[in-house]
Amino acid sequence: SMLVGLSLPAMADSTVDLVQALVSKGVLTEEEGALLSKGRSNEVEVQKKKESKSWTSRVNLRGYVQVRNTTMLGGDDGINLWSDRSVGDDKSLGDADKNFLIRRARLIIFGDYGDHLSYYIQPDFASTAGTGNNNFAQLRDAYGDVYIDKTRVHRVRVGQSKVPYGFENLQSSSNRLALDRNDALNSAVRDERDLGAFYYYTPTDIQALFEDINKQGLKHSGNYGMFALGLYNGQGANRPEQNDNYHVVSRFTYPWKAESGQIYEAGIQAYRGEYLSSTAAYSRRNAAGALASATPTLGTGTPLSGRNGIEDERVGISFIMYPQPFGIQAEWNWGNTPGLDITKNVIEKKSLNGGYVQAMYKIDNFQFLSTNGTLIPFVKWQYFDGYNKAETNSPENHVNDWELGVEWQLAPEVEIAMVYHRMNRTNLVTGNRVASAANTANNLQPREDYENFKAEALRVQLQYNF
Amino acid sequence: SMLVGLSLPAMADSTVDLVQALVSKGVLTEEEGALLSKGRSNEVEVQKKKESKSWTSRVNLRGYVQVRNTTMLGGDDGINLWSDRSVGDDKSLGDADKNFLIRRARLIIFGDYGDHLSYYIQPDFASTAGTGNNNFAQLRDAYGDVYIDKTRVHRVRVGQSKVPYGFENLQSSSNRLALDRNDALNSAVRDERDLGAFYYYTPTDIQALFEDINKQGLKHSGNYGMFALGLYNGQGANRPEQNDNYHVVSRFTYPWKAESGQIYEAGIQAYRGEYLSSTAAYSRRNAAGALASATPTLGTGTPLSGRNGIEDERVGISFIMYPQPFGIQAEWNWGNTPGLDITKNVIEKKSLNGGYVQAMYKIDNFQFLSTNGTLIPFVKWQYFDGYNKAETNSPENHVNDWELGVEWQLAPEVEIAMVYHRMNRTNLVTGNRVASAANTANNLQPREDYENFKAEALRVQLQYNF
Amino acid sequence: SMLVGLSLPAMADSTVDLVQALVSKGVLTEEEGALLSKGRSNEVEVQKKKESKSWTSRVNLRGYVQVRNTTMLGGDDGINLWSDRSVGDDKSLGDADKNFLIRRARLIIFGDYGDHLSYYIQPDFASTAGTGNNNFAQLRDAYGDVYIDKTRVHRVRVGQSKVPYGFENLQSSSNRLALDRNDALNSAVRDERDLGAFYYYTPTDIQALFEDINKQGLKHSGNYGMFALGLYNGQGANRPEQNDNYHVVSRFTYPWKAESGQIYEAGIQAYRGEYLSSTAAYSRRNAAGALASATPTLGTGTPLSGRNGIEDERVGISFIMYPQPFGIQAEWNWGNTPGLDITKNVIEKKSLNGGYVQAMYKIDNFQFLSTNGTLIPFVKWQYFDGYNKAETNSPENHVNDWELGVEWQLAPEVEIAMVYHRMNRTNLVTGNRVASAANTANNLQPREDYENFKAEALRVQLQYNF
């Protein structure tokens, strides 16, 4: 009967439904009904075509902004945390921002165009164009994914994008619990990104599991393939290549779901290449024990052994038990890197190792006042005995830090993170404050660069998503 | 009857109307009609949901571009107007642009997301990344408004945004009649903005009156609360904090509508903090009367008294009679500020005062050729006896300027402003042109910095809105 | 009959069709039908109005990204191609990128607003803010077209935009076959653009023919008028004006379609003004034949004759036979320009001439694997005997290059270009590598600047359009 035909109205088109009803009533003939229904479906087609040709179907915009504020709780003063300028006090080196800081202001322009292209352009509007001149727009990502087939199992990503080395490196900063990445793996690639070409292989079942992890809000890294292989310049994001050879990277990661529903992921990654450090004057104690300015050499001999780069190679392992509700995330890596020997005043091949362990607990439906959100307390320990090649002079970096924090997602659009951070680490900011008339006149006390410090801070971040 | 049911067709849905007509005719039963109508309303619901989930409902783009051109009409030559590089001639200091200049190229990404967040990201694509390297994208605003309740009476704005000090400072440049803001109040906050957290209280009736002023095209400042209270870094937009303490600001403004319909607004505002001036070599006459290069110190003594900033505090009053059609706008402020004493070559605490009075007349439906727009002639007098802390060396600034101009809004998308500007003021651009072999070789005549000048200019601006 | 009325259903509205059918059946009266149809058309009107008020109808986004990679095939080493940093090796001067390079990352914000305004804002996200600090967003275009009438025959473009000089200069880089523009005409205007006001006259039949050329994918220059006349600052895009006078430019171009359907275009253009070169230390052989650092003077005498600019004037001709399928494109120009005389170490007025000839063949429906695209092989010869005024020190530039390449448009969204480039030209990058202790310590061998070189390279570009 007609009523049966009408029983699923939301699935069909209401005009067609009405026409069919009138046909079944005998008001319209079958032929007339067909003609009218065809007219309606043509109309719908025209509308769909119009929508798919609209620029808004090819281009999408979204973004996020992170505003930070840090309060020092104790320990040494005049310190710097290289990854966050809001940490420090009025004796800190360089352009520490101490109070409020826009850490990231990201706008992402992305989309699919046709069957074979996805593209992703991500400027950061909190980049520094020169000392003291902040908040310029600089690229983080600018790449296209060219899909070999429509299943998206095989793809080649060309442009500036994240180098597939390390789970936390690949995870978006908008997703990460800790305010900064661990030094041990993050020191592998400046700003996590480089310019190159990367092949990614992701079987459809792995694609589905990655998507599942992401949809559950379990803070995934995003799909960088089950297997990845890439060639890239090697000097880091937004830096010119220096030595006309490539870095090569490969990664294998495997996620699986236990019968309990608990999801795990384990991965291994490695890269190698030659890296050219940037050098500048720094302040060190000379043989006589006095503070003096020095600029390191890239290796030794004539010509200098490191003039075209120094060996830069690592292997790392990752393990994640996703927070359902309790989770563990741990990574470690070992390798060789360009690093500064202060005694010799030479940058040369050095070894490194380090990583982190993080535990977290995801509380859904956390209700406070009129909000109904998600609360994730976490604790993170990180260790690094190595060098940060991408900082000026590739200084030694010793880290043994604890972070105890909580991320509160009030709503999809607003998140607050509060972290108690106990730092025991090297100050990587080059100050070059030797004793000089000029420094004295500017109230800059002489300081040795790259010293270790201990300090405690309460760090707060407000994040907007749009 | 059915025709009665059909009498308001534009208010309802035409498919539902048709179904109801067929029910009232007896072609369809009540039950069938209800089923079909429900199908239709489900369809509409699905469409609405789809639209509200679309990114274009969360993200909006708009913007404006200001192109300027200045013709000097007489007076001293080699002058600079610090706020507009298009003013000057080929003897002017620094990177004066003299002819055409893009003064502002703004793109605004904004929207509401959920019930509790509005966000606003505004880069300016006419920012300078380094001398002679113009038109980079740098943030002006990047903030979120977190609403405590849905009435938007209470909100907290966190990020980089305008500091609520001064009506003209808060008014958008795309709305302002004069080409530049008055020096007396504008010198309070570099680029009118800083990084911080601001609480705004705006009762719903005040919200409505603000909106009313805006809709009538009366050149409002926008809603910065009836009452505002904020904490901010204090060094100005896009500048790193220098001294690890906050500036605090508060403002109270009250708009009211007289029985005649005439709208008025009166306000009071104040801030205080410690500001750290930036210093560089400038050219001054030394004790012997010869031009010599000098760099000022931040206070005196050892350590320097101003090394962590110098007192920076002001109070200002504002009065606006909105142009219906005749209007008056006036502001004045008094305070203490870091300022350069050239004789002593020291930056120290100085006092300041100054403000402006502007009269304007709004002519609606101004028709010229095929256009039907709005014409607003205005006259502005400004005075300042103070210092511009945010310019290099915080130099003294004396201003006694007249501007006589007209803004013609041809259409919502195009505006032209022409201003005759009679300047009697200090040249705030640091040239540091002492007599030297290098300067002579480059044809740069020796000049004393921060001298007063008198000059007249015809300034034209074309503004596009989109 | 009703069926006749229903015979063009796709052209009308299906609800109105249905109502009319019911009227013709006698189910509804004419009056009721009219009322219901009116309701429907009101509904459609409301929807259209809503759409036209949406920001997405005023603002459009599109863009493209070009990623390059160059392999040197032979010839001199340590070379630079000034227009592409990916060309070179580890002995190249300055910040050669050698391997992967993002050559352009463009985002275009454009639209029509009202009857009299089109606007166009185009930042490039691959701009350099300072040596080694790449991929910042800097404006290329920021202009409005103000149309005098609705036929768009007369318009005035104000802001930063392309200067109408040279067909290849005006053609978008996303359309050009060769990876870079020819030096001879491209040296006329830095980045092809300047700040100014330009009048364009394009009769409607020429508008139609321009559009036709573009739609056929024949790589048109875009509509810069049949006749153009403009005033601009003269120092090039994003550079401050230096000498307070204008450059003036004019262009006439005429396209025509032969009876065979073959389209041709011929044009003539000229400009003149005074240009102020930028100077810096470079490395040259002094009278004693030794490498020494020198900075040129702008003319001679006291004061220096070129202190306010040196004569800069050219005339050029263009001819294009559009590729249907075989095409020819050729341009040549002659003129005077500021140029460096190395022997005298003076920048003075010099003469120049040069141009290029390009042949191409457009193969439609080129099928490879599952793609169905367009393949365009081309060959280009260019010659220049002149000076590049906009490079530091306005050095002499001799070019006699061959390029043999192919552009493959796989799909509208992805293009690959491969070019064998045989260079015989001047290295325009200033290295200033004299023999010095500092250079030796940094492994920088002494070099004479602005020497000629011969080299061969295989250059590949992947372009994404969105």
Side-chain angles (χ1 to χ4, degrees):
Chain A
S1 88
M2 169 199 150
L3 288 177
V4 172
L6 288 174
S7 61
L8 289 167
M11 302 298 291
D13 180 274
S14 65
T15 302
V16 172
D17 286 343
L18 177 55
V19 167
Q20 280 171 349
L22 293 171
V23 170
S24 69
K25 286 277 166 178
V27 176
L28 298 172
T29 66
E30 289 277 351
E31 198 184 7
E32 292 161 352
L35 209 49
L36 283 162
S37 295
K38 187 159 180 302
R40 175 58 186 164
S41 69
N42 283 352
E43 204 173 80
V44 169
E45 274 311 298
V46 166
Q47 180 61 21
K48 274 191 188 164
K49 210 165 176 177
K50 192 180 137 200
E51 279 172 18
S52 78
K53 280 193 169 176
S54 155
W55 72 269
T56 55
S57 73
R58 279 199 317 275
V59 182
N60 299 271
L61 291 183
R62 61 181 178 85
Y64 65 95
V65 176
Q66 294 177 341
V67 182
R68 295 193 181 171
N69 192 305
T70 303
T71 308
M72 298 308 298
L73 299 177
D76 298 333
D77 56 14
I79 63 108
N80 292 81
L81 180 62
W82 70 281
S83 50
D84 185 342
R85 293 199 313 267
S86 76
V87 176
D89 57 46
D90 56 20
K91 293 176 185 161
S92 297
L93 292 165
D95 59 349
D97 274 328
K98 296 132 194 173
N99 296 331
F100 290 103
L101 173 74
I102 300 180
R103 180 64 180 84
R104 291 179 178 86
R106 299 286 173 86
L107 182 67
I108 302 160
I109 303 131
F110 68 104
D112 291 316
Y113 183 18
D115 289 329
H116 295 285
L117 179 69
S118 294
Y119 66 92
Y120 194 93
I121 317 272
Q122 180 183 223
D124 183 20
F125 283 84
S127 298
T128 295
T131 306
N133 210 2
N134 295 335
N135 298 333
F136 282 88
Q138 186 181 33
L139 281 182
R140 285 302 167 272
D141 298 287
Y143 62 77
D145 276 341
V146 179
Y147 299 104
I148 310 302
D149 54 14
K150 296 189 185 182
T151 61
R152 304 196 160 191
V153 169
H154 303 278
R155 72 190 139 125
V156 178
R157 176 170 292 185
V158 180
Q160 182 165 296
S161 74
K162 286 196 171 177
V163 173
Y165 184 83
F167 178 89
E168 199 187 54
N169 284 346
L170 296 175
Q171 189 187 39
S172 167
S173 288
S174 62
N175 267 337
R176 192 178 53 251
L177 288 171
L179 293 188
D180 296 304
R181 292 186 174 86
N182 75 95
D183 287 48
L185 280 98
N186 193 232
S187 54
V189 188
R190 178 201 283 271
D191 286 335
E192 303 86 59
R193 293 166 176 91
D194 212 315
L195 248 166
F198 302 87
Y199 164 76
Y200 291 108
Y201 168 70
T202 327
T204 49
D205 58 328
I206 302 291
Q207 287 183 36
L209 188 47
F210 280 163
E211 206 152 304
D212 185 19
I213 297 169
N214 196 37
K215 273 192 183 153
Q216 290 187 48
L218 301 178
K219 303 202 163 278
H220 192 240
S221 65
N223 177 355
Y224 286 83
M226 184 176 83
F227 173 72
L229 182 64
L231 278 183
Y232 59 102
N233 282 352
Q235 294 293 123
N238 303 319
R239 299 287 153 166
E241 170 61 329
Q242 299 283 1
N243 56 7
D244 203 14
N245 66 31
Y246 295 100
H247 272 55
V248 56
V249 66
S250 188
R251 177 178 182 251
F252 179 82
T253 191
Y254 191 77
W256 72 95
K257 192 187 267 195
E259 272 187 34
S260 63
Q262 175 65 51
I263 307 173
Y264 301 89
E265 187 168 343
I268 182 165
Q269 48 252 311
Y271 76 83
R272 82 169 310 287
E274 308 274 318
Y275 184 86
L276 204 72
S277 306
S278 69
T279 58
Y282 70 106
S283 167
R284 65 162 193 155
R285 298 210 172 270
N286 59 20
L291 273 186
S293 180
T295 302
T297 55
L298 293 168
T300 54
T302 310
L304 286 170
S305 59
R307 72 192 184 285
N308 273 332
I310 290 168
E311 225 163 317
D312 175 24
E313 55 189 6
R314 301 192 187 194
V315 59
I317 53 169
S318 309
F319 171 79
I320 304 98
M321 174 180 148
Y322 286 98
Q324 299 168 296
F326 176 73
I328 293 275
Q329 183 182 324
E331 298 190 271
W332 208 268
N333 77 162
W334 302 263
N336 293 309
T337 181
L340 170 64
D341 187 316
I342 291 186
T343 318
K344 297 197 248 175
N345 194 32
V346 167
I347 296 174
E348 58 188 20
K349 180 175 163 184
K350 298 281 189 183
S351 68
L352 64 81
N353 88 92
Y356 69 97
V357 182
Q358 176 178 293
M360 51 211 155
Y361 194 89
K362 181 166 181 277
I363 304 166
D364 294 325
N365 299 311
F366 177 79
Q367 299 183 4
F368 181 73
L369 299 179
S370 66
T371 64
N372 181 1
T374 302
L375 196 77
I376 313 185
F378 69 95
V379 58
K380 183 182 185 179
W381 169 74
Q382 62 160 309
Y383 173 86
F384 189 37
D385 175 12
Y387 297 80
N388 270 40
K389 67 181 178 195
E391 297 304 300
T392 300
N393 296 328
S394 302
E396 198 162 357
N397 187 16
H398 286 279
V399 182
N400 195 328
D401 279 16
W402 282 92
E403 287 160 88
L404 185 67
V406 62
E407 176 184 291
W408 177 28
Q409 303 165 15
L410 286 73
E413 63 269 25
V414 186
E415 298 175 22
I416 296 175
M418 295 187 64
V419 180
Y420 164 80
H421 190 171
R422 188 170 161 176
M423 293 169 268
N424 178 356
R425 53 165 56 230
T426 310
N427 189 333
L428 298 185
V429 174
T430 304
N432 190 34
R433 289 194 193 160
V434 293
S436 74
N439 280 346
T440 305
N442 289 300
N443 282 302
L444 300 170
Q445 305 314 315
R447 283 179 57 165
E448 201 168 348
D449 276 320
Y450 315 132
E451 286 194 297
N452 272 42
F453 68 85
K454 290 185 184 177
E456 289 160 59
L458 178 66
R459 304 170 61 192
V460 181
Q461 175 179 286
L462 184 59
Q463 177 174 312
Y464 310 117
N465 304 309
F466 60 89
Chain B
S1 87
M2 169 199 151
L3 288 178
V4 173
L6 288 174
S7 61
L8 288 166
M11 302 299 292
D13 180 274
S14 64
T15 303
V16 172
D17 286 342
L18 177 55
V19 168
Q20 280 172 348
L22 293 170
V23 169
S24 69
K25 287 276 166 179
V27 177
L28 298 173
T29 67
E30 289 276 352
E31 197 184 7
E32 291 161 353
L35 209 49
L36 283 162
S37 296
K38 187 159 181 303
R40 175 58 187 166
S41 68
N42 283 351
E43 203 172 81
V44 169
E45 274 310 298
V46 166
Q47 179 62 21
K48 275 192 187 162
K49 210 165 176 178
K50 192 180 138 198
E51 280 172 18
S52 77
K53 281 192 169 177
S54 155
W55 72 268
T56 55
S57 73
R58 279 198 317 273
V59 182
N60 299 271
L61 291 183
R62 60 180 179 87
Y64 65 96
V65 176
Q66 295 177 340
V67 183
R68 295 193 180 171
N69 191 305
T70 303
T71 307
M72 299 307 299
L73 299 176
D76 298 332
D77 56 13
I79 64 109
N80 292 81
L81 180 62
W82 70 280
S83 50
D84 185 343
R85 292 199 314 267
S86 77
V87 176
D89 56 46
D90 56 20
K91 293 177 185 160
S92 298
L93 292 165
D95 60 348
D97 274 327
K98 297 132 192 172
N99 296 330
F100 290 103
L101 172 74
I102 299 180
R103 181 63 180 84
R104 290 179 178 88
R106 299 286 173 86
L107 182 68
I108 303 158
I109 303 130
F110 67 104
D112 291 316
Y113 184 18
D115 289 330
H116 294 285
L117 178 70
S118 294
Y119 66 90
Y120 194 94
I121 317 271
Q122 180 183 222
D124 183 19
F125 282 85
S127 298
T128 295
T131 306
N133 210 3
N134 295 334
N135 298 332
F136 282 87
Q138 186 182 34
L139 281 182
R140 286 302 167 273
D141 298 287
Y143 62 77
D145 276 343
V146 179
Y147 300 105
I148 310 301
D149 54 13
K150 296 189 185 181
T151 61
R152 303 195 163 194
V153 169
H154 304 278
R155 73 191 138 124
V156 179
R157 177 170 292 185
V158 180
Q160 182 165 294
S161 74
K162 287 195 169 175
V163 172
Y165 183 83
F167 179 89
E168 200 187 53
N169 284 346
L170 295 174
Q171 189 188 40
S172 167
S173 288
S174 63
N175 268 339
R176 193 178 53 252
L177 288 171
L179 294 188
D180 296 304
R181 293 186 174 86
N182 74 96
D183 286 49
L185 281 98
N186 194 230
S187 54
V189 188
R190 179 201 282 273
D191 287 333
E192 303 86 58
R193 293 166 176 91
D194 213 314
L195 247 167
F198 302 88
Y199 164 76
Y200 290 107
Y201 168 70
T202 327
T204 50
D205 58 328
I206 302 290
Q207 287 183 36
L209 188 47
F210 280 163
E211 206 153 305
D212 186 19
I213 298 169
N214 196 36
K215 272 192 185 154
Q216 290 187 48
L218 301 178
K219 301 200 166 282
H220 192 240
S221 66
N223 176 355
Y224 286 83
M226 184 176 83
F227 173 73
L229 182 64
L231 278 183
Y232 59 103
N233 283 351
Q235 293 294 122
N238 304 318
R239 299 286 153 167
E241 170 61 329
Q242 299 282 1
N243 56 7
D244 203 14
N245 66 32
Y246 296 100
H247 272 55
V248 57
V249 66
S250 188
R251 177 179 183 249
F252 179 81
T253 190
Y254 191 78
W256 72 95
K257 191 188 269 194
E259 273 187 33
S260 63
Q262 175 65 51
I263 307 172
Y264 301 88
E265 188 168 343
I268 182 163
Q269 47 255 310
Y271 75 84
R272 83 168 310 287
E274 307 274 317
Y275 184 87
L276 203 73
S277 306
S278 69
T279 58
Y282 70 107
S283 166
R284 64 160 195 157
R285 297 209 174 272
N286 59 21
L291 275 184
S293 181
T295 303
T297 55
L298 294 168
T300 54
T302 308
L304 287 169
S305 58
R307 72 192 185 285
N308 273 332
I310 290 167
E311 226 165 317
D312 174 25
E313 56 189 4
R314 301 192 187 194
V315 61
I317 53 168
S318 311
F319 171 80
I320 303 99
M321 173 179 149
Y322 287 98
Q324 299 169 296
F326 176 73
I328 293 275
Q329 183 182 321
E331 299 189 271
W332 208 269
N333 76 162
W334 302 262
N336 293 310
T337 180
L340 170 64
D341 187 316
I342 291 186
T343 317
K344 298 196 245 174
N345 195 33
V346 167
I347 296 174
E348 58 188 20
K349 180 177 163 185
K350 299 280 188 182
S351 68
L352 64 82
N353 87 93
Y356 69 98
V357 181
Q358 177 178 292
M360 52 212 154
Y361 194 89
K362 181 165 180 279
I363 303 165
D364 293 327
N365 299 312
F366 176 79
Q367 298 183 7
F368 181 73
L369 298 179
S370 65
T371 65
N372 181 359
T374 301
L375 197 77
I376 313 185
F378 69 94
V379 58
K380 183 181 185 181
W381 170 75
Q382 63 160 308
Y383 174 86
F384 188 36
D385 176 11
Y387 296 80
N388 270 40
K389 67 181 177 195
E391 297 304 300
T392 301
N393 295 330
S394 303
E396 197 162 359
N397 187 16
H398 286 278
V399 182
N400 195 328
D401 279 17
W402 282 92
E403 287 160 89
L404 185 67
V406 61
E407 176 183 290
W408 177 27
Q409 303 166 14
L410 286 74
E413 62 268 26
V414 186
E415 297 175 23
I416 296 175
M418 295 187 64
V419 180
Y420 164 79
H421 190 170
R422 189 169 160 176
M423 293 169 268
N424 179 354
R425 54 164 58 229
T426 309
N427 189 333
L428 299 184
V429 173
T430 305
N432 191 34
R433 288 192 194 163
V434 293
S436 73
N439 280 346
T440 305
N442 289 301
N443 282 302
L444 300 171
Q445 305 314 316
R447 283 180 56 166
E448 200 169 348
D449 276 321
Y450 315 132
E451 286 194 297
N452 271 42
F453 68 86
K454 290 185 183 178
E456 289 160 60
L458 177 66
R459 304 170 61 192
V460 181
Q461 175 178 287
L462 183 58
Q463 177 174 311
Y464 310 117
N465 304 309
F466 59 90
Chain C
S1 88
M2 168 198 153
L3 288 178
V4 173
L6 288 174
S7 62
L8 288 166
M11 302 298 292
D13 179 275
S14 64
T15 302
V16 172
D17 287 342
L18 177 56
V19 168
Q20 280 171 348
L22 293 171
V23 170
S24 68
K25 287 276 168 179
V27 176
L28 298 173
T29 67
E30 289 277 351
E31 197 184 6
E32 291 162 353
L35 208 49
L36 283 163
S37 295
K38 187 158 179 303
R40 175 59 186 165
S41 68
N42 283 351
E43 201 172 82
V44 169
E45 275 311 298
V46 166
Q47 179 63 19
K48 275 191 187 163
K49 210 166 177 177
K50 193 181 136 198
E51 280 173 17
S52 77
K53 281 194 169 176
S54 154
W55 72 269
T56 55
S57 73
R58 279 199 317 274
V59 181
N60 298 272
L61 291 182
R62 60 180 178 87
Y64 65 96
V65 176
Q66 295 177 341
V67 182
R68 295 193 181 172
N69 191 306
T70 304
T71 307
M72 299 307 298
L73 299 178
D76 298 333
D77 56 12
I79 63 109
N80 292 82
L81 180 62
W82 69 280
S83 49
D84 185 343
R85 292 199 315 266
S86 76
V87 177
D89 56 45
D90 56 20
K91 293 176 184 161
S92 297
L93 292 164
D95 59 348
D97 273 328
K98 296 131 192 174
N99 296 331
F100 290 103
L101 172 74
I102 299 180
R103 181 62 181 84
R104 292 179 177 87
R106 300 285 173 86
L107 182 68
I108 302 159
I109 304 130
F110 67 104
D112 292 316
Y113 183 18
D115 290 329
H116 294 286
L117 179 69
S118 294
Y119 65 92
Y120 194 93
I121 318 272
Q122 179 182 224
D124 183 19
F125 283 84
S127 298
T128 296
T131 305
N133 210 2
N134 296 333
N135 299 331
F136 282 88
Q138 187 182 32
L139 281 182
R140 286 302 167 271
D141 298 286
Y143 63 77
D145 276 342
V146 180
Y147 300 104
I148 310 302
D149 54 13
K150 296 190 185 182
T151 61
R152 302 194 162 195
V153 169
H154 303 277
R155 73 190 138 126
V156 178
R157 177 170 292 185
V158 180
Q160 182 164 294
S161 74
K162 286 194 170 178
V163 173
Y165 184 83
F167 178 90
E168 199 187 56
N169 284 346
L170 295 174
Q171 189 188 39
S172 168
S173 288
S174 62
N175 267 338
R176 192 178 54 252
L177 288 171
L179 294 189
D180 297 305
R181 292 186 174 86
N182 75 95
D183 286 49
L185 280 99
N186 193 230
S187 54
V189 189
R190 179 201 283 271
D191 286 334
E192 303 85 58
R193 292 166 177 90
D194 212 315
L195 247 167
F198 303 88
Y199 164 76
Y200 290 107
Y201 168 70
T202 326
T204 49
D205 58 328
I206 302 291
Q207 287 183 36
L209 188 47
F210 281 163
E211 206 153 305
D212 186 17
I213 297 169
N214 195 36
K215 272 193 184 155
Q216 291 186 48
L218 300 179
K219 301 199 164 281
H220 192 241
S221 65
N223 177 356
Y224 286 83
M226 184 175 84
F227 173 73
L229 183 64
L231 279 183
Y232 59 102
N233 283 351
Q235 293 295 122
N238 304 318
R239 300 286 154 166
E241 170 62 328
Q242 299 283 0
N243 56 6
D244 203 14
N245 66 30
Y246 295 100
H247 272 56
V248 56
V249 66
S250 187
R251 177 177 182 250
F252 179 81
T253 190
Y254 191 77
W256 72 95
K257 191 188 268 195
E259 274 187 31
S260 63
Q262 175 65 49
I263 307 173
Y264 301 89
E265 187 167 343
I268 182 163
Q269 48 253 309
Y271 76 83
R272 84 168 308 288
E274 308 273 318
Y275 184 86
L276 203 72
S277 306
S278 69
T279 58
Y282 70 106
S283 167
R284 65 163 193 155
R285 297 209 173 272
N286 59 20
L291 275 185
S293 181
T295 303
T297 56
L298 293 168
T300 54
T302 308
L304 286 169
S305 59
R307 71 191 185 285
N308 272 332
I310 291 168
E311 227 165 315
D312 175 25
E313 55 189 6
R314 300 193 188 193
V315 60
I317 54 169
S318 309
F319 171 79
I320 303 99
M321 173 178 148
Y322 287 98
Q324 300 168 295
F326 176 73
I328 293 275
Q329 184 182 321
E331 297 191 271
W332 208 267
N333 78 162
W334 301 262
N336 293 310
T337 181
L340 170 64
D341 188 316
I342 291 186
T343 317
K344 297 197 248 175
N345 194 33
V346 167
I347 296 173
E348 57 188 22
K349 180 176 162 185
K350 298 282 187 181
S351 68
L352 64 82
N353 88 93
Y356 69 96
V357 182
Q358 176 178 293
M360 50 211 153
Y361 194 89
K362 181 167 181 277
I363 303 166
D364 293 326
N365 299 311
F366 177 79
Q367 298 183 3
F368 181 72
L369 298 180
S370 66
T371 64
N372 181 0
T374 302
L375 196 78
I376 313 185
F378 69 94
V379 58
K380 183 181 185 180
W381 169 74
Q382 63 159 307
Y383 174 86
F384 189 36
D385 176 12
Y387 297 79
N388 271 39
K389 67 181 177 194
E391 297 304 301
T392 300
N393 296 329
S394 302
E396 198 162 359
N397 187 16
H398 286 279
V399 182
N400 195 329
D401 279 17
W402 282 92
E403 286 160 88
L404 185 66
V406 61
E407 177 184 289
W408 177 27
Q409 303 166 15
L410 285 73
E413 63 267 26
V414 185
E415 298 175 22
I416 296 175
M418 295 187 64
V419 180
Y420 164 79
H421 190 172
R422 189 170 160 177
M423 292 169 268
N424 178 356
R425 55 164 57 230
T426 310
N427 189 333
L428 299 184
V429 174
T430 304
N432 191 34
R433 289 193 194 160
V434 294
S436 73
N439 281 345
T440 305
N442 289 301
N443 282 302
L444 299 171
Q445 304 315 315
R447 283 179 57 166
E448 200 169 346
D449 276 320
Y450 316 131
E451 286 193 297
N452 272 41
F453 68 85
K454 290 185 185 179
E456 290 161 58
L458 177 66
R459 304 171 60 192
V460 182
Q461 175 178 286
L462 184 59
Q463 177 174 312
Y464 310 117
N465 305 308
F466 60 88

